[in-house]
Amino acid sequence: MTAPATDQRAITMQVENGIAVLTFDAPGAPVNTFSAAAQDDLRRAFETIHRDTSIRAAVILSGKRDNFIAGADIEAFLDFRTADDAEAASRAGHADFAAIEKGKPVVCAINGGCLGGGTELALACHWRIATDSPKTTISLPEVQLGIIPGAGGTQRLPALIGLQAALDMILTGKTVRAKKALQLGLVDEMVHPSILRRVALQRASELADGTRQREAKHRGAGEMLLDENPIGRAIVFRKAREGVLAKTKGLYPAPLAALDAVAAGYTSDGDGYQTEARLFGELAMTPESQELVFLFFATTALKRDMGVEVAPLPKPLPVERLGILGAGFMGAGIASVAIPAGTIVRMKDADTARVAKGLAAVREVMREKLVKKQVTRPQFDDLLLSVSGTTDYSGFGNVDLVIEAVFEDLQVKHQVLREIEAVVPPRAIIASNTSTIPIGRIASASVRPERVLGMHFFSPVHKMPLLEIITHDGNDPQVVVSAVSYGRRLGKTVIVVRDGPGFYANRVLSPYVNAAGLLLDEGVSIESIDDALVKFGFPVGPITLVDEVGLDVATKAGAIVAEAFGARMAPNESIQRVIKSGRLGRKGKRGFYVYDDDGKKGGVDASVYDLLPTGQKRTTVPAARIVQRCVYAMLNEAVLCLEDGILRSARDGDIGAVFGIGFPPFRGGPFRYIGRVGAASVVGTLDELEREFPGRYQAARTLRDMAESGEKFYPAGKPV
Ligand code: 3H9
């Protein structure tokens, strides 16, 4: 984030009755970050505080409404040329915060998001107060950027709240609300925002005159035993390492490094801070961190993109009432994200049994929220009151948006579209949740095609972050802007793509899954295919994925792209044969893997090989080649989507792949990955694969051009 140049300071100070009140309010910026200028301001303010004998104590507050401090300025990371540069930044943070810790009493008054370096500043203070505002959260999200807390967080947090609780925050980057922070001893008090300043000033005064002492949180005997006994600690570290490896498969270096930094703090030579600085420096230069930092910038840039290039930008239409057609898995899933976003939802299906099932599914997602304490009991009750069901179109007369999630059949879609248009107001937007049928074809039956577009949610809707909005040439830009705006309100990462077979996500997934199917045709084992792609960084392998989405759905999507793109996507034999045998995957409890009655996945179902072309006869293909055959098909297809204008930018393609289909985040997405491998090398591999599998790997024109010119999707030096 680049704040406009100004003479105004980020941190200003005024002294009231011997208490220095520091207000952090970065000029012209939506959030406070520790830019070089802000760090200078902080350093100078504390030099004054320490020098000026009339100042007894200090209070740090934020001038922003919903943000305390968002941590270090991530944009400044782009200037690190070597690990030493990053290590020096960490050491500077250590020195600044040590000066605060060693000096006069400082009260940290937290209202709004307190992240990364902001939390580390709070840890160096002598008293912490958090407001009970729902916007107040505390976290150390550095591992999500592929780094570790570098301004003392790995040292001060365990010392304050205990090893286990600290690891829980540092290794995951998870966010803690004020109430939990109070329970953990991370803050000393929780107050209403309206009295934050007054209480903070009072506490500063009390700490200065000795009427209040810093109270250590009383920890349980078991906890103390673990923390203070080297054997107990060794157990905690071992378990934590195992947990990290199970979760990251060793592909993310940051959480492992965080464990080392925390552990170094417990050694007698006390070099925890040195270790933290060194590891922070090393991690900042890793490709993993650079790609995760890219994703941060890419997602924030996307938040400002409304998906249309028209001036002036139309204002989004309000969506207060939503009609959903189809109370099945997708329809109920959409309702379950719409009601927490404050929308009144009316869900229609053909009969009361289906409607009841849909409502029960919504209730289940809300119940999960209640169990996880994300909502209170009264909020839970209110949420359920905002969704209702119907078997006719009653209640659709005043909806602002309808999303249809009915059976994937053009005739059915046309019929419901006509029915919808007969009952909804003319201003209503009509979206199809189709994952396969071109939206232009659906809209062709509409009397108001400019108001019809695609909103492709991914399943399960309440968990999957991506929403693909599909536009056709005749769309009214205001309709697009409104759908984007509403999608964001639902908490989704929204990309806008142009209509075309498979849109973006399914189109790039198809040749990837197909390549896995072709490996099966040759007799490669299911495990070796899935393992190779999981080791590359996908959350599950392609064969597991087919089982998860359902063989019927995968086959249907495959047929649509095969029809459109011919030889490149000509379907494999194996998946066709398995579906013909009646196996549907997890939902039918039979697929390539074994499933128990609850749908829990077991090992490979060896009997499935009898259905495949080579029967029980196995062959091997090296893991690296399996990865190339599957992933390069996807990379090439992503570039073709950009060439065809399906994608509006490489950035959207990267975000869509990471958030929609599980492309490994630490590789940044297909376009970033091409940039890292080099277009020339990618073309070389594609040419080699094309010789082996004619028609399937013809390198996209853009890739060939880039291989020759050296041009890149992301010019160096630009974050996005
Ligand atoms: C760290 O602290 C390292 C230390 O341990 C050690 C150092 C030695 N830097 O997301 P939004 C910008 S690592 C730069 O749309 P929201 C963002 O780009 C840091 N810019 O708002 C956007 O810019 P623009 C650990 C930042 O309300 C604008 O602010 N901290 C930073 O949806 C608004 O952002 C993190 O990882 C930053 N740190 O969400 C926090 N933060 O206006 C990362 C924000 O030009 N940030 N911007 O588009 C976030 O998670 C969210 O931005 C936040 C606000 C929750 C704060």
Side-chain angles (χ1 to χ4, degrees), residues 1-3 28-34 39 66-67 69-77 80 86-94 97 113-120 137 139-142 144-145 147-153 276 280 296-297 299-304:
M1 176 191 56
T2 317
V31 298
N32 290 322
T33 59
F34 281 119
Q39 252 174 301
D66 293 332
N67 171 258
I69 301 169
D73 177 4
I74 302 170
E75 210 161 304
F77 293 0
F80 296 151
E87 183 172 333
S90 169
R91 287 187 195 286
H94 287 167
F97 292 174
C114 174
L115 301 95
T119 301
E120 292 173 297
T137 57
S139 63
L140 286 171
E142 284 86 344
Q144 291 163 1
L145 296 169
I147 50 171
I148 58 171
E276 181 187 272
F280 177 87
F296 169 72
F297 286 117
T299 43
T300 38
L302 186 69
K303 285 188 211 166
R304 279 179 271 128

Side-chain angles (χ1 to χ4, degrees), residues 149-204:
T154 66
Q155 307 302 300
R156 290 194 181 95
L157 189 65
L160 184 69
I161 67 169
L163 180 58
Q164 262 178 323
L167 289 180
D168 190 31
M169 286 183 70
I170 295 170
L171 298 181
T172 60
K174 83 169 181 200
T175 284
V176 170
R177 283 171 188 251
K179 197 167 154 205
K180 178 77 178 169
L182 188 64
Q183 282 165 359
L184 289 172
L186 177 52
V187 297
D188 302 284
E189 274 180 86
M190 184 169 79
V191 300
H192 191 271
S194 62
I195 57 166
L196 178 65
R197 192 175 200 279
R198 185 160 59 73
V199 175
L201 276 156
Q202 196 179 331
R203 294 295 174 261

Side-chain angles (χ1 to χ4, degrees), residues 542-686:
I543 311 295
T544 300
L545 184 73
V546 170
D547 260 7
E548 286 291 323
V549 299
L551 272 88
D552 51 341
V553 176
T555 315
K556 198 161 194 172
I560 293 210
V561 289
E563 188 196 326
F565 302 111
R568 189 162 88 240
M569 308 247 193
N572 63 86
E573 268 283 301
S574 296
I575 298 178
Q576 311 254 16
R577 290 192 187 198
V578 177
I579 180 139
K580 270 195 203 119
S581 79
R583 297 186 188 216
L584 285 179
R586 191 158 76 98
K587 63 183 168 193
K589 307 211 172 70
R590 281 209 94 183
F592 290 95
Y593 288 86
V594 177
Y595 297 89
D596 68 14
D597 285 344
D598 299 326
K600 203 165 169 265
K601 183 178 154 217
V604 164
D605 181 347
S607 68
V608 80
Y609 287 119
D610 291 333
L611 303 166
L612 306 188
T614 62
Q616 294 290 346
K617 248 186 28 221
R618 296 276 69 76
T619 182
T620 53
V621 168
R625 192 60 166 175
I626 293 176
V627 167
Q628 279 181 341
R629 286 177 58 177
C630 297
V631 173
Y632 277 61
M634 178 185 274
L635 301 180
N636 199 35
E637 203 59 42
V639 179
L640 290 168
C641 285
L642 189 63
E643 280 180 11
D644 293 352
I646 298 291
L647 283 174
R648 296 171 58 241
S649 64
R651 177 203 69 192
D652 287 2
D654 282 333
I655 291 181
V658 169
F659 293 96
I661 57 177
F663 195 92
F666 71 92
R667 299 189 192 274
F671 295 92
R672 289 289 295 189
Y673 187 61
I674 291 169
R676 210 161 266 283
V677 176
S681 163
V682 172
V683 169
T685 305
L686 284 170

Side-chain angles (χ1 to χ4, degrees), residues 13-37:
M13 181 167 102
Q14 65 185 100
V15 182
E16 296 175 26
N17 301 324
I19 309 294
V21 180
L22 306 191
T23 306
F24 196 160
D25 194 355
V31 298
N32 290 322
T33 59
F34 281 119
S35 59

